[in-house]
Each structure stands twice: as C-alpha cells, then as structure tokens.
Amino acid sequence: MDGNRDDDVLDAVGSRLRALRRERGITLADLASTIGVSESTLSRLESGRRRPSLELLLPLARTYDVPLDDLVGAPRTGDPRMHLKPISRFGMTFVPLSRRPGGVHAFKMIIPARPEPLEPTPQTHEGFEWLYVLNGRLRLVIGERDLTLPPGEAAEFDTSLPHWLGSADGGAVELLILFGLQGVRAHVRTGPHGSPGTGSGR
C-alpha cells in the first residue's frame, strides 16, 4: 500500500469511529471518561483533525468490542472477497456479512445440533431484527408467541420484546439476520400487486 492509500485509510478512521459511537448511543463525555482520554482529543480524532494512533485506537477497540483492524480496515481495491471472521457467542456462531459501522448489520447465524433442544431463555435489547431461515427448523419465541419456522420462512420483530432463537427439534439451524437500531428496518421491495408483511414466509 503506497503513501496516498495509507492517508486515505487513516482519513476514514474518524468517520468510522463517530458512526460506531453514535450506533452504540455513547456520548463523547461518556467515552472520554471510560477510556481516560480527553473529550477534545476524541472530538478531533472523529473529525479527522487528529491522526489515529495505537494508544488511542486500542482502548477504543476494547470499548466497542471490535477487532482493531475493523477500526482502520478498508476494502481491498479490486478484491471483492470478504474476509469473514466468525464470532462464537451463547453457543452459536455468527458470521458477519457486513463491515460498515452504523445502519443495518448482516449476519449468518448457525445454531449447532444438540441431543436435546434447549429451553428458551428470552432476552431483550434495543433494536429491530429481520431473519430468514436457510436450513433446519427454527424455534422463535417472542413474548407470549412460540413459533416454528421451516426453511424459506422469514420474521421481523422489535428486540425490546423478550425473544429467543433456538432449534425446534435439536437439529442444526442456519439463518440470515439483519439487525439495526430502533427505527431502522429492512425495506422489502415487492411487485406492483404484492405488499410486504411482518413475519411472512415464502
């Protein structure tokens, strides 16, 4: 990578950091208090008036719980491949399919097979989720509703409602997930005689 490309990558760090902070709902003052860096320094970093350094980026990566290369990475020119890094959480595997901070995030989620299906343990958090089942039978619990979705079915829901995803029969399940902050939803285009619906299948 030549000097000009290095400059382009560094220049993009500030806007990426600002988008991440806003996505997480963190103020500059709160972030400054958390990582021990002055609010003015963070403001200059986000606006591009301060060059990023490891001393600044390492605590930010820890606070946002993202790899350091996600803060400074840029798409490889002429290389359309995505270098995916699976994340294991709650006994499931999440493969990120998008890298842009802010907006809607896309994941492939894999629920492993188990001898016995797990009992639901619903959780809540801010946001909105759209999912599509690729393989297996998904058990989706939202509030008082307990649904089973076979391959080809989709659902969308407000994640501030108690919800849980698992295997309906103990078999492995693969699904695509789009997740966004509250008020950010997937926009589905249909034909002139169709209309999008909530929790509709194909």
Side-chain angles (χ1 to χ4, degrees):
M1 181 178 286
D2 59 31
N4 289 334
R5 290 181 181 175
D6 286 342
D7 289 341
D8 290 342
V9 170
L10 292 176
D11 288 343
V13 171
S15 59
R16 190 175 294 117
L17 290 172
R18 182 187 296 112
L20 262 176
R21 178 175 59 78
R22 290 177 176 173
E23 176 191 341
R24 306 296 173 86
I26 303 173
T27 66
L28 274 175
D30 289 340
L31 184 60
S33 176
T34 299
I35 67 174
V37 174
S38 73
E39 188 175 343
S40 61
T41 296
L42 292 174
S43 178
R44 292 197 303 274
L45 181 62
E46 288 188 355
S47 66
R49 291 179 287 125
R50 166 97 184 225
R51 282 287 189 168
S53 64
L54 278 177
E55 290 77 8
L56 291 173
L57 293 179
L58 285 173
L60 287 169
R62 285 194 296 267
T63 299
Y64 294 136
D65 192 25
V66 297
L68 182 62
D69 58 358
D70 280 4
L71 295 183
V72 300
R76 299 186 180 185
T77 302
D79 186 352
R81 293 172 298 176
M82 295 183 66
H83 301 273
L84 307 176
K85 296 181 180 179
I87 303 167
S88 296
R89 288 182 180 172
F90 315 116
M92 298 176 286
T93 301
F94 297 83
V95 182
L97 303 178
S98 60
R99 295 175 58 91
R100 180 176 61 88
V104 175
H105 291 261
F107 299 88
K108 180 179 180 181
M109 178 177 169
I110 303 170
I111 301 173
R114 296 178 180 275
E116 296 291 337
L118 293 175
E119 286 300 312
T121 54
Q123 305 291 328
T124 64
H125 54 86
E126 290 300 316
F128 198 87
E129 192 165 298
W130 181 94
L131 59 83
Y132 179 85
V133 182
L134 296 170
N135 292 297
R137 293 170 56 82
L138 175 72
R139 184 180 180 187
L140 174 62
V141 177
I142 306 174
E144 299 298 321
R145 303 188 67 184
D146 194 333
L147 309 170
T148 297
L149 279 67
E153 286 203 347
E156 59 178 352
F157 55 92
D158 185 335
T159 57
S160 65
L161 297 172
H163 62 281
W164 179 84
L165 287 75
S167 173
D169 53 16
V173 184
E174 297 181 27
L175 57 152
L176 294 178
I177 290 179
L178 298 179
F179 174 78
L181 296 177
Q182 194 63 30
V184 179
R185 300 188 180 191
H187 298 282
V188 181
R189 293 185 180 272
T190 62
H193 302 294
S195 59
T198 301
S200 59
R202 293 180 59 186

Short mmCIF file of all heavy atoms in Angstrom, two decimals, residues 2 5 13 23 28 34 46 51 59 63 68 77 93-94 98 100-102 116-117 120 145 156 169 179 189 199:
data_model
loop_
_atom_site.label_atom_id
_atom_site.label_comp_id
_atom_site.label_asym_id
_atom_site.label_seq_id
_atom_site.Cartn_x
_atom_site.Cartn_y
_atom_site.Cartn_z
N ASP A 2 0.67 2.16 -0.94
CA ASP A 2 1.53 3.32 -1.03
C ASP A 2 1.09 4.39 -0.03
O ASP A 2 0.10 4.26 0.68
CB ASP A 2 1.53 3.87 -2.46
CG ASP A 2 0.15 4.27 -2.94
OD1 ASP A 2 -0.67 4.68 -2.10
OD2 ASP A 2 -0.10 4.17 -4.16
N ARG A 5 -2.51 5.81 -0.30
CA ARG A 5 -3.53 4.89 0.20
C ARG A 5 -3.52 4.83 1.72
O ARG A 5 -4.55 4.72 2.36
CB ARG A 5 -3.34 3.51 -0.40
CG ARG A 5 -3.68 3.45 -1.89
CD ARG A 5 -3.51 2.07 -2.45
NE ARG A 5 -3.81 2.02 -3.87
CZ ARG A 5 -3.65 0.94 -4.63
NH1 ARG A 5 -3.16 -0.17 -4.10
NH2 ARG A 5 -3.95 0.98 -5.92
N VAL A 13 -10.74 6.80 9.33
CA VAL A 13 -10.90 6.26 10.69
C VAL A 13 -11.85 7.13 11.52
O VAL A 13 -12.71 6.63 12.25
CB VAL A 13 -9.54 6.12 11.39
CG1 VAL A 13 -9.72 5.78 12.87
CG2 VAL A 13 -8.71 5.06 10.70
N GLU A 23 -23.82 4.74 16.97
CA GLU A 23 -24.57 3.48 16.90
C GLU A 23 -24.76 2.90 18.30
O GLU A 23 -25.82 2.35 18.62
CB GLU A 23 -23.82 2.49 16.01
CG GLU A 23 -24.46 1.11 15.96
CD GLU A 23 -23.55 0.10 15.30
OE1 GLU A 23 -22.62 0.51 14.59
OE2 GLU A 23 -23.78 -1.09 15.49
N LEU A 28 -19.61 11.68 23.72
CA LEU A 28 -18.17 11.91 23.80
C LEU A 28 -17.70 11.98 25.25
O LEU A 28 -16.64 11.48 25.60
CB LEU A 28 -17.81 13.20 23.06
CG LEU A 28 -17.56 13.11 21.55
CD1 LEU A 28 -17.35 14.49 20.97
CD2 LEU A 28 -16.36 12.21 21.25
N THR A 34 -14.65 6.77 30.08
CA THR A 34 -14.41 5.33 30.06
C THR A 34 -12.97 4.98 29.73
O THR A 34 -12.37 4.12 30.38
CB THR A 34 -15.35 4.65 29.05
OG1 THR A 34 -16.71 4.88 29.44
CG2 THR A 34 -15.08 3.15 28.98
N GLU A 46 -12.34 12.11 15.77
CA GLU A 46 -13.51 11.79 14.96
C GLU A 46 -13.67 12.75 13.78
O GLU A 46 -14.18 12.36 12.72
CB GLU A 46 -14.78 11.83 15.82
CG GLU A 46 -14.88 10.67 16.80
CD GLU A 46 -16.22 10.62 17.50
OE1 GLU A 46 -17.06 11.54 17.31
OE2 GLU A 46 -16.46 9.66 18.26
N ARG A 51 -4.62 12.67 14.04
CA ARG A 51 -4.26 11.39 13.45
C ARG A 51 -4.46 10.25 14.46
O ARG A 51 -4.09 10.39 15.63
CB ARG A 51 -2.81 11.40 13.00
CG ARG A 51 -2.57 12.14 11.70
CD ARG A 51 -3.11 11.34 10.53
NE ARG A 51 -2.71 11.90 9.26
CZ ARG A 51 -2.86 11.29 8.10
NH1 ARG A 51 -3.38 10.08 8.07
NH2 ARG A 51 -2.49 11.86 6.98
N PRO A 59 -7.71 1.27 23.19
CA PRO A 59 -8.82 1.33 24.16
C PRO A 59 -10.18 1.51 23.49
O PRO A 59 -11.19 1.04 24.01
CB PRO A 59 -8.46 2.54 25.03
CG PRO A 59 -7.51 3.35 24.22
CD PRO A 59 -6.76 2.37 23.39
N THR A 63 -13.37 -0.92 24.01
CA THR A 63 -14.66 -0.36 24.45
C THR A 63 -15.79 -0.75 23.51
O THR A 63 -16.89 -1.11 23.95
CB THR A 63 -14.57 1.17 24.54
OG1 THR A 63 -13.57 1.53 25.49
CG2 THR A 63 -15.90 1.78 24.94
N LEU A 68 -9.26 -4.51 16.16
CA LEU A 68 -8.57 -3.27 15.79
C LEU A 68 -8.60 -3.03 14.29
O LEU A 68 -8.76 -1.90 13.83
CB LEU A 68 -7.12 -3.31 16.29
CG LEU A 68 -6.26 -2.07 16.04
CD1 LEU A 68 -6.85 -0.86 16.74
CD2 LEU A 68 -4.83 -2.32 16.50
N THR A 77 -8.84 -2.72 -2.73
CA THR A 77 -9.15 -2.27 -4.08
C THR A 77 -9.04 -3.42 -5.07
O THR A 77 -8.02 -4.10 -5.14
CB THR A 77 -8.19 -1.14 -4.49
OG1 THR A 77 -8.30 -0.08 -3.55
CG2 THR A 77 -8.53 -0.62 -5.87
N THR A 93 -22.76 -19.61 16.40
CA THR A 93 -21.75 -18.96 15.58
C THR A 93 -22.39 -17.87 14.73
O THR A 93 -23.40 -18.12 14.07
CB THR A 93 -21.05 -19.98 14.66
OG1 THR A 93 -20.43 -20.99 15.47
CG2 THR A 93 -19.98 -19.31 13.81
N PHE A 94 -21.80 -16.69 14.77
CA PHE A 94 -22.27 -15.56 13.97
C PHE A 94 -21.17 -15.21 12.97
O PHE A 94 -20.03 -14.97 13.35
CB PHE A 94 -22.55 -14.34 14.85
CG PHE A 94 -23.66 -14.56 15.85
CD1 PHE A 94 -23.40 -15.18 17.07
CD2 PHE A 94 -24.95 -14.14 15.58
CE1 PHE A 94 -24.40 -15.38 18.00
CE2 PHE A 94 -25.96 -14.33 16.50
CZ PHE A 94 -25.69 -14.95 17.71
N SER A 98 -21.33 -7.94 6.83
CA SER A 98 -21.16 -6.52 6.51
C SER A 98 -20.14 -5.94 7.47
O SER A 98 -19.97 -6.43 8.59
CB SER A 98 -22.49 -5.77 6.60
OG SER A 98 -23.02 -5.86 7.91
N ARG A 100 -19.71 -2.20 7.52
CA ARG A 100 -19.95 -0.77 7.68
C ARG A 100 -20.53 -0.48 9.06
O ARG A 100 -21.57 -1.02 9.42
CB ARG A 100 -20.91 -0.28 6.60
CG ARG A 100 -21.24 1.20 6.67
CD ARG A 100 -22.13 1.59 5.51
NE ARG A 100 -23.38 0.87 5.52
CZ ARG A 100 -24.46 1.30 6.18
NH1 ARG A 100 -24.42 2.41 6.88
NH2 ARG A 100 -25.58 0.60 6.15
N PRO A 101 -19.90 0.40 9.86
CA PRO A 101 -20.50 0.77 11.14
C PRO A 101 -21.75 1.59 10.93
O PRO A 101 -21.86 2.38 9.99
CB PRO A 101 -19.39 1.59 11.82
CG PRO A 101 -18.56 2.12 10.71
CD PRO A 101 -18.61 1.07 9.63
N GLY A 102 -22.73 1.42 11.80
CA GLY A 102 -23.97 2.15 11.67
C GLY A 102 -24.92 1.45 10.70
O GLY A 102 -24.54 0.54 9.96
N GLU A 116 -30.65 -32.70 22.75
CA GLU A 116 -31.96 -32.25 23.20
C GLU A 116 -32.07 -30.75 22.96
O GLU A 116 -31.13 -29.99 23.24
CB GLU A 116 -32.15 -32.53 24.70
CG GLU A 116 -32.16 -34.01 25.07
CD GLU A 116 -33.40 -34.72 24.56
OE1 GLU A 116 -34.42 -34.03 24.32
OE2 GLU A 116 -33.34 -35.95 24.40
N PRO A 117 -33.22 -30.27 22.44
CA PRO A 117 -33.39 -28.82 22.26
C PRO A 117 -33.27 -28.08 23.58
O PRO A 117 -33.65 -28.59 24.64
CB PRO A 117 -34.81 -28.71 21.68
CG PRO A 117 -35.12 -30.07 21.13
CD PRO A 117 -34.38 -31.05 22.00
N PRO A 120 -36.06 -22.25 26.21
CA PRO A 120 -35.91 -20.81 25.91
C PRO A 120 -35.49 -20.00 27.13
O PRO A 120 -35.95 -20.24 28.24
CB PRO A 120 -37.32 -20.41 25.45
CG PRO A 120 -37.95 -21.69 24.99
CD PRO A 120 -37.39 -22.75 25.88
N ARG A 145 -45.63 -15.49 22.16
CA ARG A 145 -45.74 -16.30 20.95
C ARG A 145 -44.58 -17.28 20.84
O ARG A 145 -43.42 -16.93 21.09
CB ARG A 145 -45.79 -15.41 19.71
CG ARG A 145 -46.92 -14.38 19.73
CD ARG A 145 -47.04 -13.67 18.41
NE ARG A 145 -47.48 -14.58 17.35
CZ ARG A 145 -47.60 -14.22 16.08
NH1 ARG A 145 -47.28 -13.00 15.69
NH2 ARG A 145 -48.02 -15.09 15.18
N GLU A 156 -39.81 -10.72 11.38
CA GLU A 156 -39.19 -9.48 11.83
C GLU A 156 -39.84 -9.09 13.15
O GLU A 156 -41.03 -9.34 13.37
CB GLU A 156 -39.33 -8.37 10.79
CG GLU A 156 -40.77 -8.03 10.41
CD GLU A 156 -40.83 -6.90 9.40
OE1 GLU A 156 -39.78 -6.29 9.11
OE2 GLU A 156 -41.94 -6.62 8.91
N ASP A 169 -36.06 -28.74 16.92
CA ASP A 169 -36.04 -30.19 17.07
C ASP A 169 -34.67 -30.75 17.47
O ASP A 169 -34.45 -31.95 17.44
CB ASP A 169 -36.50 -30.86 15.77
CG ASP A 169 -35.70 -30.37 14.55
OD1 ASP A 169 -34.63 -29.77 14.75
OD2 ASP A 169 -36.16 -30.58 13.42
N PHE A 179 -29.82 -6.86 11.44
CA PHE A 179 -30.10 -6.21 12.72
C PHE A 179 -29.78 -4.73 12.62
O PHE A 179 -28.74 -4.34 12.12
CB PHE A 179 -29.27 -6.83 13.84
CG PHE A 179 -29.41 -6.11 15.15
CD1 PHE A 179 -30.53 -6.29 15.93
CD2 PHE A 179 -28.43 -5.22 15.57
CE1 PHE A 179 -30.67 -5.60 17.13
CE2 PHE A 179 -28.57 -4.52 16.76
CZ PHE A 179 -29.70 -4.72 17.54
N ARG A 189 -38.81 -4.78 -1.21
CA ARG A 189 -39.49 -4.35 -2.43
C ARG A 189 -40.29 -5.52 -2.99
O ARG A 189 -39.82 -6.65 -3.03
CB ARG A 189 -38.48 -3.87 -3.49
CG ARG A 189 -37.77 -2.59 -3.09
CD ARG A 189 -36.89 -2.11 -4.23
NE ARG A 189 -36.20 -0.87 -3.87
CZ ARG A 189 -36.71 0.33 -4.06
NH1 ARG A 189 -37.91 0.46 -4.60
NH2 ARG A 189 -36.03 1.41 -3.73
N GLY A 199 -43.36 -11.06 9.43
CA GLY A 199 -43.33 -12.47 9.74
C GLY A 199 -43.84 -13.33 8.60
O GLY A 199 -44.34 -14.42 8.83
#
